[in-house]
Amino acid sequence: MTGTERYTHGYHEVILEFYRRRTAEVCAAFLLPRLEPDAAVLDMGCGPGTITVGLARRARSVVGVDTSAEMVEAARRRAREEDVDNASFELGSAYDLPFEDDSYDVVYAHQLLQHLSDPVRALREARRVLRPGGLVAVRDSDYQTMVHAPVESALKHWLRLYHEVAGANGAEPDAGRFLPGWVRAAGFVDPVVTTSTTTYADAAGRELWGGMWAGRVTDSDFADHAVEGGFAMRGDLVAISAAFRRWADNPSGFWAWLNGEVVAVKPGLSAVVDH
Ligand SMILES: C[S@@+](CC[C@H](N)C(=O)[O-])C[C@H]1O[C@@H](n2cnc3c(N)ncnc32)[C@H](O)[C@@H]1O
């Protein structure tokens, strides 16, 4: 952690339930075609480990690292429940990885860099633990690209508030668009930049996103940070929560945003000389 950095999302059950729906097939789709079956993978900021376990099924081994002991425990449980024995989990920070130089083939980070006040420092640390020629693969949302219908002023208010709260925590909610620059600044080469969208429009998706925020906006670390920081009154949060509930219950409800994705290479692979 650097300076005033604070993790905006916290670990409320409604948030963890949201993360548990994530899969490697969706969240690492931009990496999977380049993931070799014998790769040693590091998943930085692994959270409850759902994606990590999916990566483990496609690689030789995966280590998940997270600053939260609760997440490390949850991820270990997940791997046991899914009978995945080539995934392990350790407490540690992306700023100071507890691993040797050149020890991984791939370092992956999903929706982590947006929470860091110094994402380039974390990416340099990723470069240190990668072998020359190894891949970094990062994906982050860009909150400013969020669109929704029906349009409600309370939901627009939420987006402004999210930027204020995350900004005060040293985070960058629009990280998706900055990934190419951060990866270059950390010394990676040959970036392949893609985007993918996240859409919630059917009943299950609206419940997942709108139901989560209806609970989270009044009852999570986000709510505390918003009120403590002077960005909102409890009454504002109650109004936003009700708007998310209406949106989730509306069969015409639509929500979407863009995720930035980059796969890039650690330079330094010495040329093979054919004698
Ligand atoms: C938004 S969650 C994403 C979890 C998982 N990658 C996923 O997509 O489901 C971000 C995770 O990063 C962790 N985290 C925050 N700061 C970190 C740091 N400096 N190093 C490692 N993990 C960190 C948090 O504890 C949290 O579990």
Side-chain angles (χ1 to χ4, degrees):
M1 196 180 280
T2 65
T4 56
E5 183 179 309
R6 273 206 303 183
Y7 180 53
T8 306
H9 289 182
Y11 305 97
H12 192 282
E13 179 51 30
V14 291
I15 300 166
L16 299 185
E17 187 50 30
F18 181 63
Y19 295 160
R20 283 187 207 111
R21 309 296 179 97
R22 291 179 175 165
T23 63
E25 288 76 10
V26 172
C27 301
F30 67 108
L31 164 67
L32 293 184
R34 295 176 71 180
L35 181 61
E36 300 290 343
D38 62 347
V41 181
L42 174 64
D43 182 5
M44 296 197 303
C46 63
T50 339
I51 304 171
T52 328
V53 163
L55 292 173
R57 294 208 168 91
R58 297 172 162 77
R60 174 159 54 89
S61 61
V62 184
V63 176
V65 70
D66 203 286
T67 43
S68 159
E70 186 188 340
M71 289 304 92
V72 169
E73 245 338 287
R76 284 182 183 143
R77 232 178 7 254
R78 181 78 182 208
R80 274 197 304 274
E81 283 164 8
E82 303 231 350
D83 276 332
V84 168
D85 58 10
N86 61 339
S88 60
F89 298 91
E90 290 190 33
L91 197 58
S93 171
Y95 290 131
D96 187 17
L97 294 168
F99 308 111
E100 304 281 310
D101 295 1
D102 300 350
S103 46
Y104 289 96
D105 301 302
V106 175
V107 176
Y108 171 79
H110 187 252
Q111 312 293 3
L112 166 70
L113 296 180
Q114 64 186 276
H115 295 289
L116 304 185
S117 54
D118 194 347
V120 174
R121 188 175 141 207
L123 285 165
R124 286 202 189 101
E125 189 57 358
R127 185 165 63 103
R128 180 184 68 74
V129 303
L130 271 173
R131 66 162 171 81
L135 300 178
V136 70
V138 289
R139 182 177 193 248
D140 269 277
S141 49
D142 187 322
Y143 274 66
Q144 202 54 58
T145 66
M146 286 191 180
V147 290
H148 73 269
V151 176
E152 277 223 38
S153 59
L155 297 178
K156 288 189 183 171
H157 182 190
W158 167 80
L159 188 57
R160 286 195 304 277
L161 186 60
Y162 186 86
H163 278 88
E164 286 169 344
V165 171
N169 286 346
E172 175 48 85
D174 304 336
R177 71 186 71 181
F178 297 114
L179 296 178
W182 292 345
V183 164
R184 275 190 67 227
F188 289 96
V189 296
D190 298 335
V192 174
V193 180
T194 52
T195 57
S196 55
T197 53
T198 301
T199 305
Y200 295 117
D202 64 11
R206 292 196 315 274
E207 189 52 42
L208 192 62
W209 177 249
M212 172 189 66
W213 271 107
R216 180 174 170 182
V217 78
T218 49
D219 189 18
S220 73
D221 286 10
F222 178 83
D224 297 338
H225 296 181
V227 173
E228 282 164 22
F231 300 116
M233 313 273 276
R234 289 271 166 204
D236 301 325
L237 300 181
V238 170
I240 292 171
S241 171
F244 267 114
R245 189 67 263 158
R246 279 193 298 279
W247 176 85
D249 291 340
N250 187 334
S252 305
F254 172 90
W255 200 293
W257 70 83
L258 181 146
N259 299 282
E261 304 159 340
V262 182
V263 180
V265 178
K266 172 173 171 172
L269 190 60
S270 47
V272 178
V273 181
D274 208 4
H275 290 290

